[in-house]
Each structure stands twice: as structure tokens, then as C-alpha cells.
RNA sequence: GGCGAAGUAGCUCAGUUGGUUAGAGCAGCGGAAUCAUAAUCCGCGUGUCCGGGGUUCGAAUCCCUGCUUCGCUACCA
């Protein structure tokens, strides 16, 4: 029985274009999914779009289209980008879909019936112009226009009732909130009394949302609606077998939405009597030229720019770069210099060049056929053992979601193949001891093949090309046996997988 | 203001419970080699481990303090 594994990205809000941040989260989730599948796990990878709420309504009005038309346009942009990168998500959920809306309403009704949701009122300063409640201080400062005192009746979720239970849960489950600094942040947040969560908006203020099943004058607060996607997409209240198989999830999120995922969401689940997510992993942000990315600073990297880099060296390289250099624990800086630098050192110099040297030697001395190895010596045994160690290490990193360590590990193994060649010098042996040269080249190629399999989730297109060149009949995306290289088979046509990028071209851009 | 994290080679960072000459990758310099995409391999870092004080036989690692940066959170003018 394969182990099930459910991983999600946040549902991206359709108020904005996809950008480097959303692409990062989604690509990392894809990479984790692919390694898991490679290992034989039964993976479900979910992403999608969050489509209700005020900002969507306003943006649609501004553009003179309906909210639904607006959502269709933006949801398509996300879908197109994910398909541009060939991501392997098993589903793409939109919160406007009826399968989601229906279940959200059932959940609301259930919680209302159980008394988890109650009607209450709030009096405060409300800015009609900005359509939001403001604090006493903001009102005094006079930062907002058209402010009036209003008393609004709304529905509240008894979030405060779960405060102690949540704190206890976090303390007892060290992997629930990762990395650990985020966990501390939430525990700090929970030192103060939690308030109940207002989960409704009166329709006169906001119409674009899911109607409360027990009061048609209101729609659901957008976060309460959006968070539920993680279970509505997974068959909650619609496909119990599916839900039981995959839930609980690993949620991959950015640090900006930590509170919603580590306070709102778990307390909602507690009220529903559903097990909490296995892990909420909050990564950092990409910076650009050392600063927070912003359109006004002019250092914003949009997806068009990234696609231009991809045109130069291949889409896979962006995946690889995301995985290796991404802001998993801390923020990371994105620069095109670094992007091409990593490409050249890891991919062109280490892997690409290694492919060439091995293939050309085999072509020259063994008629382009994979040579038959003799008995392995000490060095050959070491290469094989190191392959196993490398694979195990990568899988251990995967378990901890330490994606950035995976590339480093795989490349270190590639480097060791280069070292092995330097030590054994098959180009000399070919003339003096052809049998030994055959063993060496076989070993080098077997190791290279193994490394390609390990790199596959990071570079799926490039590694597929490699396996085609190798012509060994391997299935990309599966774990392989080091000894599975078939002597006597003719190598396919060789081409440069990772042509070196001339850094001088950077100045011309 | 409170709470928390961080400050280690030019850059990005590792440094487990305090213990021998503080490490890796990249960049740089020198060399070897020439099978290969001027790629590869080898060699090269005496760095006030942010400053100051303390504990200890011994601290990057523990304690106090100061400075700087960042995060969360609260609040005053």
C-alpha cells in the first residue's frame, strides 16, 4: 500500500498576476511531489485560485466587467503559467466552483447548528470610501475619508474557544509549524487573548462571496471560504474515501499568510472535528537587489523577465534555481547574474560537460556502444556506494522539506564522477588497458545515469532529454538501479544539454 | 515598548550537547591535465567567529551588556 501524500500551495488571489513568489511556492510543491512519486508515494498536489472578496469586486467594477469574468481572466493566467512550467498538479480548484461553494455552505450550516458560529454586533469607525473598519487611532489621525460610526451585525466563529487547545497542539507537534522560527512567531501571537473571527460581510457592503446558508443577507468572509479549499478539493463531504486517503495535508505557504494558516485554519478544523494539517511550512520571500521587491522601486521581477531567462537556458533552469537558491528558511535574493552563474557552474560545467566527456570517449573507443565492464575495483565500488548514500541523503532532506539541500547533494555526486575520471584517466587507459577503460567508462556512465535520475524532479525536461540520449530504455521519473545500465547498447545522438551561457551577454540585456 | 531571530572568509551560508590548527560552495590566485561545453582536477583563506565584560583548564558555541539588522506584536506623541 503506497504511502499517501497530500501537498498544497495557497490558493492565489486573483487580484494580482502570478509573480516570482507564487511561482516559487508552486514549483517547490511540484518538486516535492515529483520526488515523492518517484519514491512510490501516492501523491496529490493541489493548487488553485481564491476568487471572492472585495478586491476582486472592485477590480471588476473598475474594468467594467463582471467579477466572474475578472476571475476567469486571472485564473487562466495562473493555469497558463503552471502549464508553461509543466507542473504536475493533480487538481486546480477555484473557489467560485460549485463543488467548493456547496461544501463551504454545508460547513457553515453545520458549524452554525453546533453553535460554533453566532450572531453578534460590532460598533466602530467605518470608512465608506475605503469600505473598511478602521481603528480608533486611525480615526483620530484622520487618515481616512468619509468616516462614520456604524454598528454592524455579523456572524462570528468562536475562534477564541480553541486558543488553549491550539497552543497545546503546537507544543505537542513539533512538525506542525515549520520552520521553527515561524512556530515561535505563532506561539508569541497566541500569548494574547484570541478574538472570535468575524466570518460574514453584509451584502450591501460586499456582494461577491458565498452566501451564508442561514442568512441570505450576508456572504462569507473570504479567508474562511478560501481556507476550506484544502478539504473541499479533497472530497470532504463529497468523496469520503478520497478524503480519508489523503487528508491531512502538508501546506506550503509564504510567510505573509502564516496567521491565517496557523491560527484561523486549525481552529476551524478543530470546530469541525477534523485532524489538523500535518505541516504548515512557511517559506520566506524573494528580494531583488537586496531589497524587498516593489513596483515603485523598479526592482520588481515579473514573469515576463523570467520567461526571457528561460528562453536563453530552458525552463528547467528556473526550477533548479528556485529549488537551490530559494528562500525556504530566510529571504533570498534573486539576480540574473546569480541565475546564470548557477546555471554555468552546476549545469553546464559539472553535469553538461561530464555528459560530453563520457559520451565522446565511448564513441571514440567503443564504437558508441556502452562498454562491458570487468570486475569492479575499489574505486568502482566506491562510486556505487556513494550513489546509494546520495539517494538516501536526498530522501532524508525531502522528508524534512529541505528542498534547497537536494540540488547541492546531487551536484556533489556529479562532481565525484568528474573526480573519478581524473583519477582513472580512461582516455589513457583506452590505449594501454582497454578492459580497464571499459570498466571505468561503464562506471562513470552508470553513475551519471544515476545522478540524472536523482536530478529529474529538478530538471524534468533536461533529464528526459538525457535519458533519450542515453538510450537505455529508462523511464524518467522513477528510481533506478545503478546496475541497470545495459552494456552493448548504442548511445543515442549526443547534443549539448546545457550549453554554457556567455556571461558577457548580461551586459547587453 | 514587549517578545523573538540573526550578526562567522569578497558573496551565500554550515558549524551538532563548549574541547585539538573555525569549515563548504561560489568568486579570486597558482598549477596539472588535454577525454570534454576555455569545461575538469589539484593546491592556496593568520578571517579581531559584531564590540565589551564574565563563567571555565578551555567558548563562534554558555551568562551579562552595548551596537546593528530583521520578524512578530503593542502603543505613545
Amino acid at each position: 500500500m503506497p504511502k499517501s501524500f497530500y501537498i498544497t500551495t495557497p490558493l492565489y488571489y486573483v487580484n494580482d498576476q502570478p509573480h516570482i513568489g507564487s511561482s516559487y511556492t508552486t514549483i517547490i510543491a511540484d518538486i516535492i511531489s515529483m520526488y515523492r512519486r518517484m519514491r512510490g508515494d501516492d501523491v496529490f498536489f493541489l493548487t488553485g485560485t481564491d476568487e471572492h472578496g472585495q478586491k476582486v469586486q472592485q477590480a471588476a467594477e473598475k474594468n467594467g466587467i463582471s467579477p466572474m469574468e475578472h476571475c476567469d481572466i486571472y485564473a487562466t493566467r495562473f493555469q497558463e503559467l503552471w502549464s508553461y512550467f509543466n507542473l504536475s498538479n493533480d487538481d486546480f480548484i477555484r473557489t467560485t466552483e460549485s463543488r467548493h461553494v456547496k461544501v463551504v455552505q454545508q460547513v457553515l450550516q453545520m458549524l452554525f447548528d453546533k453553535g460554533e458560529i453566532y450572531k453578534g454586533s460590532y460598533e466602530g469607525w467605518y470608512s465608506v470610501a475605503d469600505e473598511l473598519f478602521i481603528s480608533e487611532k486611525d480615526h483620530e489621525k484622520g487618515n481616512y475619508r468619509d468616516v462614520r460610526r456604524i454598528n454592524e451585525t455579523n456572524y462570528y466563529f468562536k475562534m477564541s474557544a480553541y486558543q488553549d487547545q491550539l497552543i497545546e497542539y503546537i507544543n505537542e507537534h513539533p512538525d506542525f509549524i515549520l520552520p521553527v522560527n515561524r512556530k515561535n512567531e505563532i506561539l508569541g501571537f497566541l500569548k494574547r487573548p484570541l478574538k472570535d473571527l468575524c466570518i460574514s460581510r453584509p451584502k450591501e457592503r460586499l456582494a461577491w462571496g458565498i452566501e451564508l446558508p442561514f442568512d441570505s443577507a450576508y456572504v462569507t468572509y473570504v479567508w474562511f471560504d478560501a481556507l476550506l479549499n484544502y478539504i473541499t478539493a479533497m472530497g470532504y463531504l463529497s468523496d469520503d474515501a478520497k478524503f480519508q486517503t489523503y487528508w491531512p495535508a502538508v501546506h506550503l505557504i509564504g510567510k505573509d499568510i502564516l496567521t491565517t494558516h496557523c491560527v484561523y485554519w486549525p481552529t476551524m478544523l478543530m470546530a469541525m472535528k477534523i485532524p489538523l494539517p500535518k505541516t504548515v511550512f512557511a517559506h520566506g520571500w524573494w528580494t531583488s537587489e537586496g531589497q524587498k521587491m516593489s513596483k515603485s522601486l523598479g526592482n520588481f521581477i515579473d514573469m515576463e523577465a523570467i520567461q526571457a531567462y528561460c528562453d536563453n537556458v530552458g525552463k528547467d533552469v528556473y526550477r533548479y534555481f528556485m529549488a537551490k537558491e530559494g528562500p525556504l528558511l530566510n529571504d533570498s535574493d534573486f539576480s540574473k547574474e546569480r541565475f546564470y552563474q548557477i546555471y554555468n557552474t552546476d549545469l553546464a560545467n559539472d553535469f553538461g560537460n561530464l555528459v560530453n566527456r563520457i559520451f565522446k570517449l565511448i564513441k571514440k573507443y567503443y564504437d558508441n556502444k556502452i562498454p562491458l565492464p570487468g570486475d569492479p575495483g575499489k574505486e568502482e565500488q566506491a562510486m556505487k556506494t556513494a550513489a546509494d548514500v546520495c539517494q538516501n541523503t536526498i530522501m532524508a532532506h525531502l522528508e524534512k522539506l529541505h528542498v534547497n539541500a537536494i540540488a547541492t547533494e546531487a551536484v556533489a555526486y556529479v562532481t565525484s564522477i568528474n573526480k573519478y575520471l581524473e583519477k582513472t584517466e580512461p582516455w589513457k587507459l583506452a590505449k594501454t588497458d582497454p578492459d580497464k577503460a571499459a570498466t571505468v567508462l561503464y562506471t562513470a556512465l552508470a553513475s551519471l545515469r544515476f545522478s540524472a535520475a536523482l536530478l529529474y524532479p529538478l530538471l524534468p525536461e533536461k533529464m528526459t532529454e538525457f535519458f533519450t540520449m542515453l538510450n537505455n530504455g529508462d523511464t524518467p521519473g522513477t528510481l533506478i538501479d545503478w546496475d541497470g545500465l545495459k552494456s552493448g547498447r548504442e548511445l543515442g545522438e549526443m547534443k549539448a544539454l546545457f550549453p554554457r551561457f556567455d556571461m558577457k551577454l548580461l551586459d547587453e540585456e
Side-chain angles (χ1 to χ4, degrees):
Chain A
M1 189 78 178
K3 193 176 164 188
S4 67
F5 182 78
Y6 176 30
I7 186 165
T8 70
T9 74
L11 291 206
Y12 302 112
Y13 200 49
V14 293
N15 183 45
D16 198 6
Q17 307 273 0
H19 50 73
I20 187 168
S22 39
S23 76
Y24 174 66
T25 318
T26 315
I27 285 172
I28 292 303
D30 191 54
I31 288 169
I32 293 167
S33 298
M34 287 175 76
Y35 273 112
R36 287 277 181 176
R37 288 194 201 100
M38 194 158 101
R39 210 176 65 172
D41 291 355
D42 178 10
V43 174
F44 200 99
F45 165 26
L46 177 73
T47 187
T49 43
D50 174 12
E51 310 192 348
H52 290 119
Q54 197 158 40
K55 284 177 183 159
V56 170
Q57 182 174 304
Q58 285 168 345
E61 272 166 27
K62 197 175 147 196
N63 295 317
I65 54 176
S66 73
M68 200 59 231
E69 284 172 315
H70 173 95
C71 292
D72 286 342
I73 292 167
Y74 277 83
T76 304
R77 285 185 188 160
F78 280 95
Q79 283 166 329
E80 281 172 354
L81 188 66
W82 305 153
S83 78
Y84 170 81
F85 285 115
N86 298 314
L87 301 192
S88 66
N89 53 300
D90 297 284
D91 198 351
F92 185 101
I93 189 166
R94 301 177 53 181
T95 56
T96 48
E97 289 176 69
S98 68
R99 60 168 168 158
H100 176 72
V101 174
K102 233 162 53 187
V103 177
V104 169
Q105 288 181 323
Q106 286 179 58
V107 167
L108 285 163
Q109 187 67 54
M110 213 168 69
L111 293 178
F112 185 69
D113 292 344
K114 280 168 64 179
E116 297 286 349
I117 289 173
Y118 64 92
K119 197 171 188 175
S121 63
Y122 175 80
E123 185 176 307
W125 297 104
Y126 182 78
S127 162
V128 179
D130 294 287
E131 299 187 45
L132 52 83
F133 280 94
I134 59 172
S135 69
E136 198 70 33
K137 290 284 168 273
D138 281 331
H139 175 242
E140 282 170 20
K141 282 186 200 165
N143 291 339
Y144 292 86
R145 291 167 300 139
D146 205 358
V147 173
R148 52 182 85 155
R149 190 82 183 171
I150 65 170
N151 187 309
E152 193 171 278
T153 301
N154 267 305
Y155 289 88
Y156 291 84
F157 162 55
K158 287 184 178 168
M159 190 160 75
S160 60
Y162 296 96
Q163 176 156 15
D164 294 341
Q165 202 181 323
L166 179 59
I167 293 170
E168 199 185 324
Y169 188 89
I170 294 169
N171 284 324
E172 284 175 5
H173 298 80
D175 289 340
F176 175 49
I177 303 173
L178 293 174
V180 69
N181 54 328
R182 303 295 168 205
K183 177 176 112 172
N184 293 337
E185 204 174 303
I186 289 297
L187 285 172
F189 180 83
L190 289 171
K191 277 179 188 160
R192 290 167 183 282
L194 213 49
K195 283 189 275 188
D196 287 342
L197 185 66
C198 179
I199 55 112
S200 69
R201 295 291 183 269
K203 275 191 184 167
E204 66 250 27
R205 206 144 67 70
L206 171 68
W208 185 239
I210 297 176
E211 188 178 289
L212 295 187
F214 43 82
D215 192 337
S216 61
Y218 293 88
V219 298
T220 313
Y221 170 50
V222 65
W223 266 113
F224 194 90
D225 152 11
L227 286 164
L228 285 166
N229 93 85
Y230 299 131
I231 58 173
T232 64
M234 211 14 99
Y236 181 64
L237 300 182
S238 68
D239 182 346
D240 198 50
K242 185 180 179 188
F243 186 68
Q244 293 303 331
T245 302
Y246 292 104
W247 186 261
V250 170
H251 297 310
L252 212 52
I253 62 168
K255 64 181 183 180
D256 49 323
I257 50 175
L258 188 69
T259 308
T260 51
H261 282 77
C262 298
V263 179
Y264 296 7
W265 180 226
T267 53
M268 285 163 66
L269 289 166
M270 282 172 174
M272 287 183 265
K273 307 259 187 276
I274 294 174
L276 302 201
K278 200 165 122 202
T279 295
V280 178
F281 193 105
H283 63 69
W285 282 346
W286 283 100
T287 57
S288 167
E289 291 161 40
Q291 285 185 303
K292 190 172 164 179
M293 251 182 247
S294 85
K295 280 167 188 163
S296 53
L297 276 174
N299 65 347
F300 191 85
I301 301 164
D302 56 32
M303 291 315 293
E304 281 74 30
I306 283 161
Q307 289 182 0
Y309 303 155
C310 290
D311 287 343
N312 284 333
V313 290
K315 300 167 192 178
D316 277 6
V317 180
Y318 182 63
R319 277 174 81 90
Y320 183 84
F321 186 80
M322 293 279 107
K324 183 163 191 207
E325 298 280 298
L328 202 64
L329 302 177
N330 304 111
D331 291 354
S332 297
D333 200 54
F334 188 97
S335 77
K336 64 179 174 184
E337 286 79 9
R338 185 101 179 135
F339 178 82
Y340 289 120
Q341 186 74 252
I342 294 282
Y343 170 74
N344 276 345
T345 57
D346 286 9
L347 302 178
N349 297 355
D350 286 355
F351 189 89
N353 180 53
L354 179 62
V355 174
N356 265 26
R357 47 196 319 208
I358 296 174
F359 271 59
K360 285 197 177 167
L361 282 166
I362 291 177
K363 186 169 189 178
K364 189 167 174 185
Y365 294 109
Y366 295 93
D367 195 23
N368 210 32
K369 294 194 174 101
I370 298 170
L372 183 69
D375 288 338
K378 205 172 152 191
E379 299 288 347
E380 287 69 35
Q381 286 293 353
M383 290 308 294
K384 193 177 162 180
T385 305
D388 282 336
V389 171
C390 180
Q391 179 166 301
N392 291 338
T393 308
I394 285 174
M395 291 307 165
H397 288 313
L398 179 73
E399 200 66 44
K400 292 180 176 169
L401 303 173
H402 288 171
V403 179
N404 45 10
I406 293 175
T408 306
E409 206 59 46
V411 168
Y413 185 63
V414 172
T415 300
S416 78
I417 306 171
N418 270 317
K419 287 186 211 272
Y420 169 71
L421 288 182
E422 292 296 327
K423 203 178 287 176
T424 51
E425 300 180 308
W427 48 90
K428 285 184 184 165
L429 287 176
K431 292 161 192 160
T432 58
D433 185 352
D435 287 348
K436 180 66 184 168
T439 304
V440 167
L441 287 175
Y442 181 90
T443 302
L445 190 60
S447 302
L448 180 63
R449 167 174 169 269
F450 195 86
S451 75
L454 291 179
L455 283 166
Y456 176 79
L458 301 177
L459 300 152
E461 280 185 32
K462 294 288 189 179
M463 291 306 123
T464 300
E465 284 179 46
F466 170 80
F467 283 116
T468 302
M469 272 167 55
L470 184 63
N471 192 33
N472 194 56
D474 297 317
T475 309
T478 56
L479 286 182
I480 60 164
D481 183 6
W482 191 93
D483 292 305
L485 185 64
K486 297 169 185 136
S487 296
R489 269 183 93 118
E490 185 162 4
L491 296 175
E493 192 188 340
M494 198 187 74
K495 61 169 196 161
L497 276 180
F498 300 105
R500 193 178 162 77
F501 180 80
D502 185 355
M503 296 298 275
K504 283 177 202 146
L505 293 174
L506 275 181
D507 305 329
E508 293 167 19
E509 281 182 13

